[in-house]
Amino acid sequence: MKRKVPIAIIFVVGQFLAFFMDGSISQILSGTLFKYPNTMVPCLTMMWLILAAFFGNSKKLHLSAWAAIIGFIFDMYYTGILGVYVFIFPLVVYLCQVIYQQLPPSFMSGFLVYFLGITVLVTLGFVANAFIGQASTSVSQFLVNTLAPTLALNLVFLAILYFPIETLYRTHRR
Amino acid sequence: MQKFFSSRKLVIVIVCLIISFGLMTVSVAIRNKRSTPPMIQQFGNDIVGFADRVVAVPMNGVQHGFVSVKNLLNTYQENQRLKSKVDLLAQTQVKDQTLERENKQLKRQLNVGSTLTGYEKINAAVITRTPSSWASQVIINKGQAAGVKKDMPVIAGPGLIGTIAEVNKTNSKVVLVSNTAENSNRFAIQIVGSDSKVVNGIITSYDSQSNRIVMGNITSKAKLAKGDRVSTSGLGGTIPKGIYVGTVSKIAEDDYGLAKKVYIKPAANLNDIEVVSVAVRE
């Protein structure tokens, strides 16, 4: 039988892949995603981390550390403003993990927790950017033009990728 | 809940918040003042940039495939439309050539070396775009090594799209004019009115609801009309003169009714950028 690739390596590689896919999707579909006045932001990196928190063993995967590392790279490479996502990523992962453990493990509860996670991620991102003067929209505009479309887009991504990723972790647990 | 907010966790949260605010303030300050980010950050960005090309190149390839199929379907209509413009273009080109030669001769006669209009282009491809609502930024594959410097203007297709915000060795970040941050978008531009009077000003903000660049604080009495062309004025800093920005789409009074506010329709499509050129003033 073929030797299995350890899940920890798949996790790290997939995380970087998701990270670069975020940027590539934003670039390629920028005509649709950033159509005025709405902005939809793909958060595949966050989805990969949250799903790892759901299905994987977060201690063995060193999940919080990797969330902080990828958050730091995100700040450095994409936005150029350090100290935003390096803290938001681990926080969201931690929150999602704590809440998910209280719920029965099913697609619906995963969906709900993911919904909350993305809401926290986007909102904290908005607060941080408003603090340094990058974001200048009002809160109501933010809710309608950014948060809602972003949630819609990311829930679609989740619906597509939830079961494949679950299968991946399940086959590796045996 | 008792466990959730134990004193140890509270201390960690507060320390994290302080570090976060500190880092944010420092990086904003560095971004505004220094020409390049710190060495470590630059190095990291270069490495990530290289890795990104492995993902971005096939993705962009797929997009090219789709776009070429779409283009094929649109070709006939476009051909019809363009044919009517070709004659005009040839005429303009010849005129442009003649004028350029004449301009050069006149400059030589007057002993004027380089003026504000002269610039060279560095061509670059877009690697990726920042997945964020708050930073309209793209990352291009040319950096310090190719001669890119901070604050240089970037052109895509017909007109200006933004300026260089951060330069690494092999890639750099371009902030688009559609960025709504308070400290971006300060281009010196000018509008030539119908009576060939020139109105100078700067871009003050961006209206994301209608996709218009706003030029504020205009007190000039010169008459402007919808459709007047807007270009950079070359005043102040590194931006050369005569880069096309867009056309006037609306003229309104500002909030106090004292000065005018001009809404400009950008010439380039800010959401479909693949290849850009960085303009370097000679």
Coordinates of all heavy atoms in Angstrom, one line a residue, chain B residues 145-189:
Chain B
A145 N 14.7 46.4 -8.3 CA 15.7 45.9 -9.2 C 15.4 46.4 -10.6 O 16.4 46.6 -11.4 CB 15.7 44.3 -9.2
A146 N 14.2 46.7 -11.0 CA 13.9 47.2 -12.3 C 13.8 48.7 -12.3 O 13.5 49.3 -13.4 CB 12.5 46.6 -12.8
G147 N 14.0 49.3 -11.2 CA 14.1 50.8 -11.2 C 12.8 51.5 -10.7 O 12.6 52.7 -10.9
V148 N 11.9 50.7 -10.1 CA 10.6 51.2 -9.6 C 10.9 51.9 -8.3 O 11.7 51.4 -7.5 CB 9.6 50.1 -9.4 CG1 8.3 50.7 -8.8 CG2 9.3 49.4 -10.7
K149 N 10.3 53.1 -8.1 CA 10.5 53.8 -6.9 C 9.1 54.2 -6.3 O 8.1 54.2 -7.1 CB 11.3 55.1 -7.1 CG 12.8 54.8 -7.4 CD 13.6 56.1 -7.0 CE 15.1 55.9 -7.4 NZ 15.3 56.1 -8.8
K150 N 9.1 54.5 -5.0 CA 7.8 54.9 -4.4 C 7.2 56.1 -5.0 O 8.0 57.0 -5.5 CB 8.1 55.1 -2.9 CG 6.9 55.1 -2.0 CD 7.3 55.3 -0.6 CE 6.2 56.0 0.2 NZ 5.2 55.1 0.7
D151 N 5.9 56.2 -5.1 CA 5.1 57.3 -5.6 C 5.2 57.5 -7.1 O 4.7 58.5 -7.6 CB 5.6 58.6 -4.9 CG 5.2 58.7 -3.5 OD1 4.2 58.1 -3.1 OD2 5.9 59.4 -2.7
M152 N 5.7 56.6 -7.8 CA 5.7 56.7 -9.3 C 4.3 56.4 -9.7 O 3.6 55.5 -9.2 CB 6.6 55.7 -9.9 CG 8.1 56.2 -9.9 SD 9.1 54.9 -10.6 CE 10.7 55.8 -10.6
P153 N 3.8 57.1 -10.8 CA 2.4 56.8 -11.3 C 2.4 55.5 -12.1 O 3.4 55.1 -12.7 CB 2.1 58.0 -12.1 CG 3.4 58.5 -12.6 CD 4.4 58.2 -11.5
V154 N 1.3 54.9 -12.1 CA 1.1 53.6 -12.8 C 0.0 53.8 -13.8 O -1.1 54.3 -13.5 CB 0.8 52.4 -11.8 CG1 0.7 51.1 -12.6 CG2 1.9 52.3 -10.8
I155 N 0.2 53.3 -15.0 CA -0.7 53.5 -16.1 C -1.2 52.1 -16.6 O -0.4 51.2 -16.7 CB -0.1 54.2 -17.3 CG1 0.5 55.5 -16.8 CG2 -1.1 54.5 -18.4 CD1 1.5 56.1 -17.8
A156 N -2.5 51.9 -16.8 CA -2.9 50.7 -17.5 C -3.9 51.0 -18.6 O -4.8 51.8 -18.4 CB -3.6 49.8 -16.4
G157 N -3.6 50.5 -19.8 CA -4.5 50.8 -20.9 C -4.5 52.3 -21.2 O -3.4 52.9 -21.3
P158 N -5.7 52.9 -21.2 CA -5.7 54.3 -21.6 C -5.2 55.3 -20.5 O -4.8 56.4 -20.9 CB -7.2 54.5 -21.9 CG -7.9 53.5 -21.1 CD -7.0 52.3 -21.0
G159 N -5.3 55.0 -19.3 CA -5.0 56.1 -18.3 C -4.4 55.6 -17.0 O -4.1 54.5 -16.8
L160 N -4.3 56.7 -16.2 CA -3.7 56.5 -14.8 C -4.6 55.6 -14.0 O -5.8 55.7 -13.9 CB -3.6 57.9 -14.2 CG -2.9 58.0 -12.9 CD1 -1.4 58.0 -13.0 CD2 -3.4 59.3 -12.2
I161 N -3.9 54.7 -13.2 CA -4.7 53.9 -12.3 C -4.3 54.0 -10.9 O -5.0 53.7 -10.0 CB -4.7 52.3 -12.7 CG1 -3.2 51.9 -12.7 CG2 -5.4 52.1 -13.9 CD1 -3.1 50.4 -12.6
G162 N -3.1 54.5 -10.6 CA -2.7 54.6 -9.2 C -1.2 54.9 -9.1 O -0.5 55.3 -10.1
T163 N -0.7 54.8 -7.9 CA 0.7 55.0 -7.6 C 1.3 53.9 -6.9 O 0.6 53.1 -6.2 CB 0.9 56.3 -6.8 OG1 0.0 56.3 -5.7 CG2 0.7 57.6 -7.5
I164 N 2.7 53.8 -6.9 CA 3.4 52.8 -6.2 C 3.4 53.2 -4.7 O 3.8 54.3 -4.3 CB 4.9 52.7 -6.7 CG1 4.9 52.4 -8.2 CG2 5.7 51.7 -5.9 CD1 4.7 51.0 -8.6
A165 N 3.0 52.2 -3.9 CA 2.9 52.5 -2.4 C 4.1 51.9 -1.7 O 4.5 52.4 -0.7 CB 1.6 52.0 -1.9
E166 N 4.5 50.7 -2.2 CA 5.6 50.0 -1.4 C 6.5 49.3 -2.4 O 5.9 48.7 -3.3 CB 4.9 49.0 -0.5 CG 5.9 48.4 0.5 CD 5.3 47.2 1.2 OE1 4.3 47.4 1.9 OE2 5.8 46.1 1.1
V167 N 7.8 49.4 -2.3 CA 8.7 48.8 -3.2 C 9.5 47.7 -2.5 O 10.2 48.0 -1.6 CB 9.6 49.8 -3.9 CG1 10.4 49.2 -5.0 CG2 8.8 51.0 -4.3
N168 N 9.5 46.5 -3.1 CA 10.4 45.5 -2.6 C 11.4 45.3 -3.7 O 11.4 45.9 -4.7 CB 9.6 44.2 -2.3 CG 8.6 44.5 -1.2 OD1 8.9 44.9 -0.2 ND2 7.3 44.2 -1.6
K169 N 12.3 44.3 -3.5 CA 13.3 44.1 -4.6 C 12.7 43.6 -5.9 O 13.1 44.1 -6.9 CB 14.3 43.0 -4.1 CG 15.3 43.5 -3.1 CD 16.5 44.1 -3.8 CE 17.5 44.7 -2.8 NZ 17.0 45.7 -2.0
T170 N 11.8 42.7 -5.8 CA 11.3 42.1 -7.1 C 9.7 42.3 -7.3 O 9.2 41.8 -8.2 CB 11.6 40.6 -7.1 OG1 11.0 40.0 -6.0 CG2 13.0 40.3 -7.2
N171 N 9.1 42.9 -6.3 CA 7.6 43.2 -6.5 C 7.3 44.5 -5.8 O 8.0 44.9 -5.0 CB 6.7 42.0 -6.1 CG 6.9 41.7 -4.7 OD1 7.0 42.5 -3.8 ND2 7.0 40.4 -4.4
S172 N 6.2 45.1 -6.2 CA 5.8 46.3 -5.5 C 4.3 46.4 -5.5 O 3.6 45.8 -6.3 CB 6.4 47.5 -6.1 OG 6.6 47.4 -7.5
K173 N 3.8 47.2 -4.5 CA 2.3 47.3 -4.4 C 1.9 48.6 -5.0 O 2.5 49.6 -4.8 CB 2.0 47.4 -2.9 CG 2.2 46.1 -2.2 CD 1.6 46.1 -0.8 CE 1.8 44.8 -0.1 NZ 3.1 44.6 0.5
V174 N 0.8 48.5 -5.8 CA 0.2 49.7 -6.4 C -1.1 50.0 -5.7 O -2.0 49.2 -5.7 CB 0.0 49.4 -7.9 CG1 -0.7 50.6 -8.5 CG2 1.2 49.0 -8.6
V175 N -1.2 51.2 -5.2 CA -2.5 51.6 -4.6 C -3.3 52.3 -5.7 O -2.9 53.2 -6.4 CB -2.3 52.6 -3.5 CG1 -3.6 53.2 -3.0 CG2 -1.7 51.9 -2.3
L176 N -4.5 51.7 -6.0 CA -5.3 52.3 -7.1 C -6.0 53.6 -6.7 O -6.2 53.9 -5.5 CB -6.4 51.2 -7.5 CG -5.9 49.8 -7.8 CD1 -7.0 48.9 -8.2 CD2 -4.9 49.9 -9.0
V177 N -6.4 54.3 -7.7 CA -7.1 55.6 -7.3 C -8.4 55.3 -6.6 O -9.0 56.2 -6.0 CB -7.4 56.5 -8.6 CG1 -6.1 57.3 -9.0 CG2 -7.9 55.7 -9.7
S178 N -8.9 54.1 -6.8 CA -10.2 53.8 -6.1 C -10.0 53.5 -4.6 O -11.0 53.2 -3.9 CB -10.8 52.6 -6.8 OG -10.0 51.5 -6.7
N179 N -8.8 53.7 -4.1 CA -8.6 53.5 -2.7 C -9.3 54.6 -1.9 O -9.1 55.8 -2.3 CB -7.1 53.4 -2.4 CG -6.8 52.7 -1.1 OD1 -7.5 51.7 -0.8 ND2 -5.8 53.1 -0.4
T180 N -10.0 54.3 -0.8 CA -10.7 55.4 -0.1 C -10.0 55.8 1.1 O -10.5 56.6 1.9 CB -12.1 54.9 0.3 OG1 -12.0 53.6 0.9 CG2 -13.0 54.8 -0.9
A181 N -8.8 55.3 1.3 CA -8.0 55.8 2.5 C -7.8 57.3 2.5 O -7.6 57.9 1.4 CB -6.7 55.0 2.6
E182 N -7.7 57.8 3.7 CA -7.6 59.3 3.7 C -6.3 59.8 3.2 O -6.2 61.0 2.7 CB -7.7 59.7 5.2 CG -9.1 59.7 5.7 CD -9.2 59.5 7.2 OE1 -8.1 59.6 7.9 OE2 -10.3 59.3 7.7
N183 N -5.2 59.0 3.3 CA -3.9 59.6 2.9 C -3.4 59.2 1.5 O -2.3 59.4 1.2 CB -2.9 59.2 4.0 CG -2.9 57.7 4.2 OD1 -3.6 57.0 3.5 ND2 -2.1 57.3 5.2
S184 N -4.3 58.7 0.7 CA -3.9 58.4 -0.7 C -4.6 59.4 -1.6 O -5.2 60.4 -1.2 CB -4.3 57.0 -1.1 OG -5.6 56.8 -0.9
N185 N -4.4 59.2 -2.9 CA -5.1 59.9 -3.9 C -4.8 61.4 -4.0 O -5.6 62.2 -4.1 CB -6.6 59.9 -3.7 CG -7.2 58.5 -3.7 OD1 -6.6 57.7 -4.4 ND2 -8.3 58.3 -3.1
R186 N -3.5 61.8 -3.8 CA -3.2 63.2 -4.0 C -2.4 63.4 -5.2 O -1.2 63.7 -5.2 CB -2.4 63.7 -2.7 CG -3.2 63.6 -1.4 CD -4.3 64.6 -1.4 NE -5.0 64.7 -0.2 CZ -6.1 64.0 0.1 NH1 -6.6 63.2 -0.8 NH2 -6.6 64.1 1.3
F187 N -3.1 63.4 -6.4 CA -2.5 63.6 -7.6 C -2.7 65.1 -8.0 O -3.8 65.6 -7.8 CB -3.0 62.8 -8.8 CG -2.8 61.4 -8.6 CD1 -3.9 60.6 -8.2 CD2 -1.6 60.8 -8.8 CE1 -3.7 59.2 -8.0 CE2 -1.4 59.4 -8.6 CZ -2.5 58.7 -8.2
A188 N -1.7 65.7 -8.6 CA -1.9 67.0 -9.2 C -2.5 66.8 -10.6 O -1.8 66.1 -11.4 CB -0.6 67.8 -9.2
I189 N -3.7 67.3 -10.9 CA -4.2 67.1 -12.2 C -4.7 68.4 -12.8 O -4.8 69.5 -12.1 CB -5.4 66.1 -12.2 CG1 -6.4 66.6 -11.1 CG2 -5.0 64.7 -11.9 CD1 -7.7 65.8 -11.1

